[in-house]
Amino acid sequence: MTTRIPRNAKRVFYATESTTRTKPDGEVIRCAGREQRSTTFREARKFLDDLGVPGGVSVWTERSQQTNAYADRRADGTWVALDRLTGKWEPLPDTAKEGQA
């Protein structure tokens, strides 16, 4: 699935699969896997849900020119989002149950 990002996009969501690799000495390191850019969080969430893998979604905003953490998909399929006011990760509702993203 390829999403065309318009030139004048105010926000771009990056969904990145989280994978781990084991070095020859036994150390486990976290690496980035497949990635998709989207204009909505719903598309980014669907990408990781369709893969069925843990991963993260970050958001780039035009105004700040920065990329910040937005949400994470855990290995068990649950989602948590970063509350910008408290700095804590809060559970997100399941889209199938709630009917929204």
Side-chain angles (χ1 to χ4, degrees), residues 6-77:
R7 249 189 200 166
N8 60 347
K10 303 291 183 198
R11 286 183 175 189
V12 178
F13 293 88
Y14 293 89
T16 307
E17 171 190 17
S18 295
T19 59
T20 56
R21 305 239 191 275
T22 306
K23 289 184 173 181
D25 62 0
E27 180 186 356
V28 177
I29 57 172
R30 187 176 168 189
C31 305
R34 293 168 278 192
E35 182 179 273
Q36 178 186 344
R37 294 183 305 169
S38 306
T39 53
T40 64
F41 174 64
R42 179 176 294 194
E43 288 178 9
R45 184 174 181 166
K46 184 177 179 337
F47 172 73
L48 289 175
D49 282 340
D50 288 348
L51 289 177
V53 297
V57 176
S58 58
V59 62
W60 172 86
T61 54
E62 179 207 22
R63 186 182 315 164
S64 68
Q65 295 288 309
Q66 293 179 347
T67 303
N68 297 304
Y70 194 79
D72 275 344
R73 184 183 194 276
R74 304 284 163 89
D76 62 0

Side-chain angles (χ1 to χ4, degrees), residues 69-89:
Y70 194 79
D72 275 344
R73 184 183 194 276
R74 304 284 163 89
D76 62 0
T78 60
W79 281 87
V80 290
L82 182 62
D83 183 339
R84 299 226 183 275
L85 296 176
T86 64
K88 295 182 182 177
W89 291 92

